[in-house]
Amino acid sequence: MYVLLLTGEDSGKVAVWNMAPVRSEEDEKNGNVPKLLCQMDNHLACVNCVRWSSDGRYLASGGDDKLIMIWQTGRYFAGPSTVFGTGGKTVNIEQWRCVATLRAHTGDILDLAWSPQDAWLATCSIDNTIIVWNALKFPEMISVLRGHTGLVKGVTWDPVGKYLATQSDDKSLRVWRTVDWQQEAMVTKPFDECGGTTHVLRLAWSPDGQYIVSAHAMNNSGPTAQIIERQGFKTSMDFVGHRKAITVVRFNPNIFQKVVNKASGKSQQFSCCAIGSRDRSLSIWLTALKRPLVVVHDMFQNSVMDISWTPLSSSRGKSGFELLVCSWDGTAAYIEFTPEELGTPLTQDEMNSLHQRIYGKSMAISTQHTANNTIIENPAMLQLQQHHTAEREKLTANKQVNGTPTKIRNPMLTSPTEKPNPKAQQIETRTPDGRRRITPLCIAPQVDFGDIPRPFMSSSLPMSSAGMVQSSLETAETPKTSEPSQSSPSSQHATVKPLSQCILTTAPMSIPANIQPMKALDSRFTEKSKATSGTKSQPSLPKLDRIAPTTISTVKPKESDRSSTQDTTAAGITLSTKRKVDSLSQPATKRIRKDKPALMAPAAATQVTPAIPQDVITRSAPHPIILPSPPAEKTISLQVGGGEEAVVLELENNIQTAGMKLAGLKCRRGGKVEWEAVLSTRGTMLAGSRKVVCVSCEDRTLCVMSTSGRRLLPALVLSHHAAILHCTGYHVMAVTTAGELSVWNVQTAKVVIKNESLLPIMSGDVVIKTSSVTEQGVPVFSLSNGKVYTFSHALGTWSTLSDVNNSLQQCSDHQTVMSSLNSSSQVKGPLASLQGHDQRSGRQAGRLFRANHNLQQAVTLGHLEDQVSAALMLRSSAEHKFWLLTLVRYLVQEGLEAQLREICDELLGPVTAQGQLSKACLWEPDVLGVSKRAVLSEVLQEVGSNLRLQRLYTEYQDQLDMLHKQPSTSP
């Protein structure tokens, strides 16, 4: 049986050493006595801290890789083994294995500490947080303590388990209660004068629980170790004498007693404290003496980094009399004391009696002590707590494979389509001599975007070799979307040009017929499409041109400066005004070539500059939007749906019949013509769903039919030609060349949105990436600036659904509550598809961790509330419920009762004795087709996971139970 010493290295290794060669020179010279017992190299970066549990069963290590690893000796050991990569020079005498890996911090781990009796493990990091883990059920988290605004570099437990103390670079020491994990006190005065910082700030709590001794304090411009009394957390004493900042303080785990004053002859109880500093020295203090017991100068070549006393369970009667000190220079020192120097230690029973006499029963007196000490006040709450415990155990069991936790994926960013496995298609052959051979298979490189949901909509539709457009909305099993060809001369990007330069070309654009779903996730990340021979297509996302602002100048009139008007041209009416100030005049209109089609600008009345004396006044007119209308191709095809249910619509223009030009529309299924229809004018675009078919015609009309060819509505006349056309379900969306948006519900024969301009969202040189309409008739436009908009008919305005540059989204810290979700709760919908690969939630959260926690909390709440509102705008019921519950989980985690009460009030609604709602009541019992009170039941399940909110849970659960007992009546 070996006595062990544990060290961590900057190479990511954890080493377990034999203490025998350290204690004895004879054993050191004996080649049969091993020195290094085991070396573990699982960490990916520098190991900053290693700690034994009190019973020596486990050891914990934390490092720059943001991981905490829990180690235990192997259950079965076949004998010594060499360490990989050492050429057989390093041999593991013992076998240690990692039994748990704790992942939650977003920064380097600088310190960790086991609670008394090893009930909890506290870790601190440069992400400004302290995480308390349940040491009985790794990797379960008890609480995340937030409040520090600087790097947290030290953590220590109260020996009776009532408090936890932490120290940070924000020049504060904070004390937290273990009952509710809230802050009990904050000490800042001793640290106000501190300049600069140290790598660690390892503070310590005395074994009798009376004092905390901090690192890196100042008193009259001199470095000190501040003594903080437990009673009122007063700061009236300190340890002085070091020349540079204190880096580490460590109390001996024993309480000693001996006769200090020989004159009185009375035995006195006291504690022993070791202090290390950047001045490379070590001092040993007894609380019964005014001066240090011993000071060792120049022990190392660099700063003291850590100190450790032998634990109470140490063998050979050396419990608490051995001291190990390590330095930044990579060396460690061993110091041994005698009972004559330190005193006689109290037994463990005597220490427990002392704690119980002073503080009452220790909160960590037993390892079976529960992680939370709040009293449960009602049976329903107890049952709910048991349910949550069972769910956590089930979730933990599902996440671990062979003892290693699996990677947690964001349920909102999970791809519904599994990637094909090329190995499943390998061909095996055998040579004449019986040997196996695998035929090489060429595997094309695949674009991997990670865990991304399928696209909700793409306004550019893939074309077949016959000019067939494929719908991306109608087949849930095999969705197919694509983007416009980037290499096509007819780009789909919107640009801003003056009217004189608005000469549009209609060169054919080629788009591949078959695009894999994983390659059509987002037009911003899709590779350039290769042209398919014999393919004709039409632009589905038209190029956007603007008319430059007309500058109107008014000067003092003269006879020679009167305005004159020009006749209208093929490009429209151009206003020309003679002025003396040439800098304010419009550039001359470029002559439009006759061989190219031109857009007609809206006709305007002849304008004469009004005569206003003296000052010159300039103003800019609004920027009209001009979208090109696609030309009438000879044939246009569209595939609706997929698989066996797929139908192909074919529109043939220029049909000559009895001297008249008509257009014919055919519907094919499986190669057979199901129905035909005739249009009086040529068609320019096709759109369809499994409910309706729509054709835009050259005479500015829309022809709407059923999937059986029956006309459902009379021809809809638009103010301008159609530039964008979509059908989803019973809803038809059209955008004219003037940028006017309209949406109709064909089933009810009513307009949803009427002639709303795109001008408010088209600011600057932006590009319309995609456009779509949902099953609920909600239009969605994605722009090149990363913003996604929708128009709310109820609010009468445009609303932002997503923005890749949104600071709230990038700095939100809600991933901790999302990672606890069960994998079965994956939700897919329009909002997840729109945000998709651009979702950057939490990328900058680490930076805000170093700022104010209140700011971090406000940012996270803002983002979650925006997600709830966006899902509500899109009328996505599943996503609205998902983000609402995520918001509730975060509020529960932060303990924000006021916001939770507001949500519960909205979901509960008015409660009356008869259970009936008055006609004047404005409260709606449902949201997006889901009962609000049913959602409240799920919200209360989350609220019940925090015992501090049990009274809130009881209040609303009682009201909900009362409503369920009453007969249901409609309002």
Coordinates of all heavy atoms in Angstrom, one line a residue, residues 796-832:
G796 N -49.7 45.3 -38.5 CA -49.6 46.2 -39.6 C -48.2 46.7 -39.8 O -48.0 47.9 -40.3
T797 N -47.2 45.9 -39.5 CA -45.8 46.4 -39.7 C -44.9 45.2 -40.0 O -45.3 44.0 -39.7 CB -45.3 47.2 -38.5 OG1 -44.0 47.7 -38.7 CG2 -45.2 46.2 -37.3
W798 N -43.7 45.5 -40.4 CA -42.6 44.5 -40.6 C -42.0 44.2 -39.3 O -41.8 45.1 -38.5 CB -41.6 44.9 -41.6 CG -42.1 45.0 -43.0 CD1 -42.7 46.1 -43.7 CD2 -42.1 43.9 -44.0 NE1 -43.0 45.7 -45.0 CE2 -42.7 44.4 -45.2 CE3 -41.7 42.6 -43.9 CZ2 -42.9 43.6 -46.3 CZ3 -41.9 41.8 -45.1 CH2 -42.5 42.3 -46.2
S799 N -41.6 42.9 -39.1 CA -41.0 42.5 -37.9 C -39.7 41.7 -38.2 O -39.7 40.9 -39.2 CB -41.9 41.6 -37.0 OG -43.0 42.4 -36.6
T800 N -38.7 41.8 -37.4 CA -37.5 41.0 -37.6 C -37.6 39.7 -36.9 O -37.9 39.6 -35.7 CB -36.3 41.8 -37.0 OG1 -36.2 43.1 -37.6 CG2 -35.0 41.1 -37.2
L801 N -37.3 38.6 -37.6 CA -37.3 37.3 -37.1 C -36.0 36.8 -36.7 O -35.8 36.0 -35.7 CB -37.9 36.3 -38.2 CG -39.3 36.5 -38.6 CD1 -39.7 35.5 -39.6 CD2 -40.3 36.3 -37.4
S802 N -34.9 37.2 -37.4 CA -33.6 36.7 -37.1 C -32.6 37.7 -37.6 O -32.9 38.4 -38.6 CB -33.4 35.3 -37.7 OG -32.0 34.9 -37.4
D803 N -31.4 37.7 -37.0 CA -30.3 38.6 -37.5 C -29.0 37.9 -37.0 O -28.8 37.8 -35.8 CB -30.5 40.0 -36.9 CG -29.4 41.0 -37.4 OD1 -28.6 40.5 -38.2 OD2 -29.4 42.1 -37.0
V804 N -28.2 37.6 -38.0 CA -26.9 36.9 -37.7 C -26.0 37.8 -36.9 O -25.1 37.3 -36.2 CB -26.3 36.4 -39.0 CG1 -27.1 35.3 -39.6 CG2 -26.0 37.5 -39.9
N805 N -26.2 39.1 -37.0 CA -25.3 40.0 -36.3 C -25.9 40.5 -35.0 O -25.4 41.5 -34.5 CB -25.0 41.2 -37.3 CG -24.3 40.8 -38.5 OD1 -23.3 40.0 -38.5 ND2 -24.7 41.3 -39.7
N806 N -26.9 39.9 -34.6 CA -27.6 40.3 -33.4 C -26.7 40.0 -32.2 O -26.4 38.9 -31.9 CB -28.9 39.6 -33.2 CG -29.8 40.1 -32.1 OD1 -29.3 40.9 -31.3 ND2 -31.0 39.7 -32.0
S807 N -26.4 41.1 -31.4 CA -25.5 40.9 -30.3 C -26.1 40.1 -29.2 O -25.5 39.3 -28.5 CB -25.1 42.3 -29.7 OG -24.4 43.0 -30.7
L808 N -27.5 40.2 -29.0 CA -28.1 39.4 -28.0 C -28.0 37.9 -28.3 O -27.8 37.1 -27.4 CB -29.6 39.8 -27.9 CG -29.9 41.2 -27.5 CD1 -31.4 41.4 -27.4 CD2 -29.3 41.6 -26.2
Q809 N -28.1 37.5 -29.5 CA -28.1 36.1 -29.9 C -26.6 35.6 -29.7 O -26.5 34.5 -29.2 CB -28.5 36.0 -31.4 CG -28.3 34.6 -31.9 CD -28.9 34.4 -33.3 OE1 -30.0 34.7 -33.6 NE2 -28.0 34.0 -34.3
Q810 N -25.6 36.4 -30.1 CA -24.3 35.9 -30.0 C -23.8 35.8 -28.5 O -22.9 35.0 -28.2 CB -23.3 36.9 -30.8 CG -23.6 36.9 -32.2 CD -22.7 37.8 -33.0 OE1 -21.7 38.2 -32.5 NE2 -23.1 38.2 -34.2
C811 N -24.3 36.7 -27.6 CA -23.8 36.7 -26.3 C -24.8 36.0 -25.3 O -24.6 36.1 -24.1 CB -23.6 38.2 -25.8 SG -22.4 39.1 -26.8
S812 N -25.8 35.4 -25.8 CA -26.8 34.8 -24.9 C -26.2 33.6 -24.2 O -25.4 32.8 -24.8 CB -28.0 34.3 -25.7 OG -28.9 33.6 -24.9
D813 N -26.5 33.3 -23.0 CA -25.9 32.3 -22.2 C -27.0 31.3 -21.8 O -27.1 30.9 -20.6 CB -25.3 32.8 -20.9 CG -24.6 31.8 -20.1 OD1 -24.1 30.8 -20.7 OD2 -24.5 31.9 -18.9
H814 N -27.9 30.9 -22.7 CA -29.0 29.9 -22.4 C -28.6 28.5 -22.7 O -29.5 27.6 -22.5 CB -30.2 30.3 -23.2 CG -30.1 30.2 -24.7 ND1 -29.5 31.1 -25.5 CD2 -30.4 29.2 -25.5 CE1 -29.5 30.7 -26.7 NE2 -30.0 29.6 -26.8
Q815 N -27.4 28.2 -23.2 CA -27.1 26.9 -23.6 C -27.1 25.9 -22.4 O -27.3 24.7 -22.5 CB -25.7 26.8 -24.3 CG -25.6 27.7 -25.5 CD -26.6 27.2 -26.6 OE1 -26.9 26.0 -26.7 NE2 -27.0 28.1 -27.4
T816 N -26.8 26.4 -21.2 CA -26.8 25.6 -20.0 C -28.2 25.0 -19.7 O -28.3 23.8 -19.3 CB -26.3 26.4 -18.8 OG1 -27.1 27.5 -18.6 CG2 -24.9 26.8 -19.0
V817 N -29.2 25.7 -20.0 CA -30.6 25.2 -19.7 C -31.0 24.3 -20.9 O -31.9 23.4 -20.7 CB -31.6 26.3 -19.5 CG1 -31.3 27.0 -18.2 CG2 -31.7 27.3 -20.6
M818 N -30.5 24.6 -22.1 CA -30.9 23.8 -23.3 C -30.2 22.4 -23.2 O -30.8 21.4 -23.7 CB -30.6 24.5 -24.6 CG -31.4 25.7 -24.9 SD -31.1 26.4 -26.5 CE -31.7 25.1 -27.5
S819 N -29.0 22.4 -22.7 CA -28.3 21.1 -22.7 C -29.0 20.1 -21.7 O -28.7 18.9 -21.8 CB -26.9 21.3 -22.2 OG -26.8 21.9 -20.9
S820 N -29.8 20.6 -20.8 CA -30.5 19.6 -19.9 C -31.8 19.1 -20.5 O -32.4 18.3 -19.9 CB -30.8 20.4 -18.6 OG -31.7 21.4 -18.8
L821 N -32.1 19.5 -21.7 CA -33.4 19.0 -22.3 C -33.2 17.5 -22.8 O -32.1 17.1 -23.2 CB -33.7 19.8 -23.5 CG -33.9 21.3 -23.3 CD1 -34.2 22.0 -24.6 CD2 -35.1 21.5 -22.3
N822 N -34.3 16.8 -22.7 CA -34.2 15.4 -23.2 C -34.2 15.4 -24.7 O -34.7 16.2 -25.4 CB -35.5 14.7 -22.7 CG -35.4 13.2 -22.9 OD1 -35.0 12.7 -23.9 ND2 -35.8 12.5 -21.8
S823 N -33.4 14.4 -25.2 CA -33.2 14.4 -26.7 C -34.5 14.1 -27.4 O -34.6 14.4 -28.6 CB -32.2 13.3 -27.0 OG -32.7 12.0 -26.6
S824 N -35.5 13.6 -26.8 CA -36.8 13.4 -27.4 C -37.6 14.6 -27.7 O -38.6 14.6 -28.3 CB -37.6 12.4 -26.6 OG -38.0 13.0 -25.3
S825 N -37.2 15.7 -27.1 CA -37.9 17.0 -27.3 C -37.4 17.8 -28.4 O -37.5 19.1 -28.4 CB -37.8 17.8 -26.0 OG -36.5 18.1 -25.7
Q826 N -36.8 17.2 -29.4 CA -36.3 18.0 -30.6 C -37.5 18.6 -31.3 O -38.5 17.9 -31.6 CB -35.5 17.0 -31.5 CG -34.3 16.5 -30.9 CD -33.6 15.5 -31.8 OE1 -34.0 15.3 -32.9 NE2 -32.5 14.9 -31.3
V827 N -37.3 19.8 -31.7 CA -38.4 20.6 -32.3 C -37.8 21.1 -33.6 O -36.8 21.8 -33.7 CB -38.9 21.7 -31.4 CG1 -40.0 22.5 -32.2 CG2 -39.5 21.2 -30.1
K828 N -38.6 20.9 -34.7 CA -38.2 21.4 -36.0 C -39.3 22.3 -36.5 O -40.5 22.0 -36.2 CB -37.9 20.3 -37.0 CG -36.9 19.3 -36.6 CD -36.8 18.2 -37.6 CE -35.9 17.0 -37.1 NZ -36.6 16.3 -36.0
G829 N -39.0 23.4 -37.1 CA -40.0 24.3 -37.6 C -39.4 25.4 -38.4 O -38.2 25.5 -38.7
P830 N -40.2 26.4 -38.8 CA -39.7 27.4 -39.7 C -38.7 28.3 -39.0 O -37.7 28.7 -39.7 CB -41.0 28.3 -40.0 CG -42.0 27.9 -38.9 CD -41.7 26.5 -38.6
L831 N -38.8 28.6 -37.7 CA -37.8 29.4 -37.1 C -36.4 28.8 -37.1 O -35.4 29.4 -37.3 CB -38.2 29.8 -35.7 CG -37.3 30.8 -34.9 CD1 -37.2 32.1 -35.7 CD2 -37.8 31.0 -33.5
A832 N -36.4 27.5 -36.7 CA -35.1 26.7 -36.7 C -34.5 26.7 -38.1 O -33.3 26.8 -38.3 CB -35.3 25.3 -36.1

